[in-house]
Amino acid sequence: MDNIENFRKNMKHPDIMTKHSVAVRLWHWSTLIIIMGSLVTVLLNSTLFDVKNNASYIQEQLQSVSVNLTPQQAKHVAHGLEDKVWDLHSYFGIALAALFLFRLLSSFFETKEQRFFFILKKYIKNYRTLSKKSTQAFHDVAVRVLYLLFYIFLSIMILTGLSLTFKKELDIDTATSHSIKEFHEFSMYIILAFIAVHMMGILLAELGKDRGIVSQMINGHK
């Protein structure tokens, strides 16, 4: 059976086949860091910087030094702290958008064999050639389809996030903003689910016969 992986020769070491380009590896790890940072801000605002809990805490602490605030004033201060974290969340989102644009542009400089849809077509062709009886061929197609869904939902999350960040400039009303936020949060959950499945799949592969996936994404080859 023909090798359907998108390998290219390493010029310095002809015996080593390079699977992932430098651009893809850079995008992969940078995107992971940015997404994790973004999720940390969401976690902080849902726990440590929760407005309801912080408003009470701020009011109690200031009362202990003879400074009295009304519940509304304390809530306003708590919202200010929360907004600071959301500002950081927005910066992560803008960085993620820049990385996604970098990924799209870098794909034009990849070899034909390294391009996503070329690989997907080869996997599908291989699956059909084997009369749909190969578990490995089905797995290859399924994984690529999951990656495609990841890209789709990542783009939705980025576009909705940017819309929320620049809602004043885009003149987006409150009702529309709320709907966009729901799409943004739904996409985030899909991305989280993908990351969980992705990490589990890598772990199973590294513990099984298909080892070297992590090293491929670090140095380009096993």
Side-chain angles (χ1 to χ4, degrees):
M1 183 178 66
D2 292 336
N3 188 347
I4 59 176
E5 293 286 359
N6 59 323
F7 293 134
R8 63 180 173 83
K9 291 281 187 178
N10 184 296
M11 299 305 292
K12 292 183 179 180
H13 305 281
D15 57 316
I16 296 177
M17 303 296 284
T18 302
K19 182 176 181 181
H20 301 293
S21 66
V22 175
V24 169
R25 283 177 275 150
L26 177 63
W27 173 81
H28 177 276
W29 294 112
S30 298
T31 297
L32 175 62
I33 292 171
I34 293 298
I35 289 178
M36 290 298 103
S38 181
L39 292 176
V40 167
T41 61
V42 174
L43 180 63
L44 285 174
N45 268 349
S46 62
T47 54
L48 189 62
F49 291 94
D50 177 69
V51 171
K52 184 178 179 180
N53 293 333
N54 268 3
S56 300
Y57 178 77
I58 290 169
Q59 196 173 18
E60 290 172 2
Q61 290 301 307
L62 289 177
Q63 284 177 348
S64 67
V65 291
S66 302
V67 177
N68 295 317
L69 289 182
T70 65
Q72 190 61 36
Q73 289 172 327
K75 188 176 181 180
H76 181 74
V77 175
H79 266 298
L81 294 173
E82 183 188 51
D83 287 343
K84 290 292 184 182
V85 180
W86 283 132
D87 286 343
L88 182 58
H89 182 81
S90 296
Y91 296 145
F92 278 124
I94 293 171
L96 186 61
L99 282 171
F100 191 68
L101 180 61
F102 167 77
R103 177 69 184 98
L104 291 176
L105 294 176
S106 65
S107 66
F108 291 104
F109 298 94
E110 293 176 337
T111 62
K112 180 181 178 182
E113 292 75 17
Q114 287 180 318
R115 292 177 182 174
F116 180 87
F117 286 105
F118 178 85
I119 301 170
L120 178 59
K121 288 178 181 178
K122 292 202 74 171
Y123 279 140
I124 293 174
K125 182 180 180 181
N126 186 64
Y127 178 57
R128 290 173 176 172
T129 301
L130 296 176
S131 302
K132 303 178 182 180
K133 295 179 180 181
S134 171
T135 303
Q136 182 61 45
F138 174 77
H139 170 268
D140 292 338
V141 173
V143 168
R144 280 288 153 178
V145 171
L146 282 177
Y147 282 141
L148 179 58
L149 290 174
F150 168 77
Y151 284 126
I152 291 172
F153 280 102
L154 181 62
S155 62
I156 292 174
M157 187 174 75
I158 289 171
L159 290 173
T160 53
L162 290 175
S163 298
L164 293 171
T165 299
F166 300 104
K167 61 183 178 182
K168 289 183 180 179
E169 290 80 358
L170 296 172
D171 196 25
I172 298 175
D173 58 52
T174 303
T176 304
S177 177
H178 181 71
S179 297
I180 292 174
K181 184 179 179 182
E182 289 183 343
F183 276 108
H184 184 70
E185 291 177 349
F186 176 74
S187 299
M188 181 191 71
Y189 290 128
I190 295 296
I191 296 298
L192 283 175
F194 174 85
I195 292 174
V197 172
H198 183 59
M199 293 180 68
M200 186 177 296
I202 290 174
L203 180 61
L204 291 174
E206 291 288 351
L207 293 176
K209 296 179 180 179
D210 194 14
R211 299 180 180 180
I213 294 178
V214 176
S215 61
Q216 285 176 0
M217 191 51 74
I218 294 175
N219 53 40
H221 52 78
K222 292 186 179 182

